[in-house]
Amino acid sequence: MLRSGNYQHDIHYWVGKDAEEDDSTMATDKALELDATLGSRAVHYKENLIPAYKKGAKLWKLFST
């Protein structure tokens, strides 16, 4: 929670190196829809060319300890 009393949300998503442009655009659109649902205060983290399992495994380790 921020000092203003509002929550801050982080949206992480990955687009693979072999993803079509349509797939990348759809992922971005869905992240924006989620952001709107959360009150348009989210910080977006779009990762390109990094396999999701590698970055996701690091995040999972960080949050599960």
Side-chain angles (χ1 to χ4, degrees):
M1 184 178 294
L2 301 173
R3 289 182 189 170
S4 64
N6 295 322
Y7 287 99
Q8 178 181 340
H9 303 282
D10 295 327
I11 299 173
H12 294 264
Y13 61 104
W14 294 264
V15 179
K17 67 178 181 177
D18 297 326
E20 299 288 330
E21 185 176 345
D22 289 346
D23 296 330
S24 178
T25 300
M26 183 182 297
T28 300
D29 290 347
K30 292 299 177 182
L32 290 171
E33 287 178 21
L34 179 58
D35 185 16
T37 301
L38 296 172
S40 299
R41 293 187 181 97
V43 177
H44 296 238
Y45 299 92
K46 178 180 178 184
E47 301 290 340
N48 293 311
L49 306 176
I50 300 172
Y53 66 88
K54 287 184 180 179
K55 187 92 172 190
K58 289 179 184 177
L59 285 174
W60 180 256
K61 220 177 206 184
L62 177 70
F63 290 115
S64 63
T65 56

